């Protein structure tokens, strides 16, 4: 499952939210080792997981509500 696509598909106007912008920024940073000091990797990863889990939880709630309406 592409979590970013799932979030985008199930949270209206998510592209405009600061949390989503932070999610994408952290995802890019973690993918490119030259963008961060290895000593900071744990902090970035922890922040990434927090934002991802929050957005994914909201997207899942919305998806389940849509599914229940059918």
């Amino acid at each position: 499952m592409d979590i970013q696509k799932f979030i985008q598909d199930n949270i209206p106007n998510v592209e405009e939210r600061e949390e989503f912008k932070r999610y994408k920024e952290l995802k890019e940073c973690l993918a490119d080792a030259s963008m961060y000091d290895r000593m900071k990797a744990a902090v970035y990863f922890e922040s990434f997981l927090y934002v991802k889990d929050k957005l994914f939880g909201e997207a899942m709630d919305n998806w389940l509500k849509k599914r229940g309406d059918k």
Side-chain angles (χ1 to χ4, degrees):
M1 169 191 291
D2 183 341
I3 292 177
Q4 183 172 330
K5 178 152 177 39
F6 183 78
I7 290 169
Q8 289 171 301
D9 290 347
N10 290 286
I11 298 178
N13 303 315
V14 75
E15 295 284 344
E16 298 168 15
R17 290 179 48 181
E18 288 302 316
E19 291 169 319
F20 189 69
K21 291 175 186 175
R22 182 74 177 143
Y23 166 83
K24 292 191 312 183
E25 176 185 293
L26 288 165
K27 184 177 176 183
E28 288 177 23
C29 183
L30 289 168
D32 184 354
S34 69
M35 291 182 68
Y36 62 91
D37 180 325
R38 289 277 185 204
M39 299 301 290
K40 295 180 182 176
V43 174
Y44 288 137
F45 189 64
E46 191 173 303
S47 296
F48 171 77
L49 289 178
Y50 175 79
V51 174
K52 178 195 64 76
D53 288 349
K54 185 174 181 188
L55 289 168
F56 183 77
E58 183 179 339
M60 182 59 78
D61 286 345
N62 291 342
W63 182 79
L64 289 170
K65 286 177 188 171
K66 282 193 289 187
R67 192 170 171 206
D69 291 342
K70 292 182 178 182

